[in-house]
Amino acid sequence: MERVTLNVQGMSCDHCVKAVEGSVSALNGVGSVKVNLKAATVDVEYNQQKVSLDEIKETIDDQGYDVK
């Protein structure tokens, strides 16, 4: 499993946390997702043979947040 911390702009409330965690955790190959609102980060543990980092970033982007 790979681990990555993404900087994500635009998250400001519990709804944002649920939207990001829910959409990313639904991807096949994602083991865990943890949003830190104060740090504006998303920690993701994933199997790179099943899901790519680009797919994870695109999923967050599709929720309306900017991945840096």
Side-chain angles (χ1 to χ4, degrees):
M1 292 289 253
E2 290 288 318
R3 292 176 188 249
V4 66
T5 299
L6 302 171
N7 293 313
V8 180
Q9 302 300 309
M11 300 182 299
S12 61
C13 63
D14 286 339
H15 172 76
C16 301
V17 172
K18 290 177 184 174
V20 171
E21 289 182 349
S23 62
V24 175
S25 65
L27 293 171
N28 185 34
V30 172
S32 67
V33 183
K34 182 67 179 157
V35 172
N36 182 327
L37 277 180
K38 288 187 179 187
T41 60
V42 178
D43 295 319
V44 183
E45 184 177 81
Y46 67 101
N47 181 336
Q48 63 188 13
Q49 294 176 348
K50 293 184 178 181
V51 64
S52 72
L53 183 55
D54 285 340
E55 287 176 283
I56 294 168
K57 289 179 178 180
E58 185 176 314
T59 298
I60 295 170
D61 187 63
D62 287 348
Q63 294 300 312
Y65 307 105
D66 294 322
V67 181
K68 303 293 182 194

